[in-house]
Amino acid sequence: LLRDKLIGSSAAIQTVRETIARVAPLPTSVLLTGHSGTGKEVAARSLHSLSNRADKLFVPVNCGAIPADVLESELFGHVKGAFTGADTVRQGLFMHAQGGTLFLDEISEMPFALQSKLLRVLEDRRVRPVGSEREFFVDLRLVFATNADLQRCVEAGTFRADLYFRINVMHIHLPPLKDRDSDVLDLAALFMRKLSQQLGMPPVAMDEKARSFLLRYDWPG
């Protein structure tokens, strides 16, 4: 699947692909860093598809897109009556991803209080649903991603130092597009093919002027 593959032939992206291939078979957690839009989720899916968990679920979660008071229940689940509105038992995403890969994107946005619970999962591989007295064993690969400088977050007191060291075991940095040479042309061709298919139109060829402009642009954001 294209969403599992990093597109391009630049030296920078080839290095990333080689690192992913080496790391994928290992059981360790992985931290992916890089600006927004550099392909961190694509890299996470590639790690999953090349691992021995490829036949199980890949579950992505954007920690910055879920309200802080909901994120704990989303990840850990809850029992009936754990809080107002908890009318049924909910299986959390840790349990849902059992045997597969759980991708926690924008990990720097995770509330500080919830970080200690995540640390316990990393240490003991056990989760406790909100309101439950029982813990449940989980067997899954954890992949984290952020566009923030986690070291600075630790220094600012918004991210736990012990959690940072536990998730920063294997670190893969996704380079920005401006550092990927001609990859922009491969990506442009891919997106133009997909768009032409969606619109039912023949592919549009890029002339030399367009190619030159794309290669000179810095792609901010």
Side-chain angles (χ1 to χ4, degrees), residues 52-127:
N52 59 2
R53 300 177 182 273
D55 60 334
K56 304 295 183 181
L57 288 177
F58 174 87
V59 181
V61 185
N62 187 329
C63 296
I66 302 174
D69 58 346
V70 177
L71 185 58
E72 182 177 9
S73 176
E74 284 287 312
L75 292 176
F76 292 87
H78 62 251
V79 298
K80 184 177 180 179
F83 49 83
T84 303
D87 300 325
T88 60
V89 173
R90 178 185 176 85
Q91 181 188 60
L93 294 177
F94 278 112
M95 295 294 294
H96 181 61
Q98 188 79 277
T101 300
L102 182 63
F103 173 52
L104 296 179
D105 197 5
E106 303 303 343
I107 188 62
S108 63
E109 300 295 320
M110 177 173 281
F112 194 83
L114 189 53
Q115 293 173 26
S116 60
K117 290 196 68 172
L118 175 58
L119 181 64
R120 180 168 173 77
V121 176
L122 286 166
E123 292 175 341
D124 299 337
R125 296 290 162 172
R126 294 183 178 277
V127 299

Side-chain angles (χ1 to χ4, degrees), residues 170-188:
M170 291 289 182
H171 177 202
I172 300 175
H173 181 71
L174 279 296
L177 193 56
K178 66 183 179 66
D179 294 340
R180 290 177 53 182
D181 303 319
S182 61
D183 288 357
V184 62
L185 300 181
D186 295 330
L187 288 163

Side-chain angles (χ1 to χ4, degrees), residues 32 149 169 220:
L32 303 169
D149 185 333
V169 179

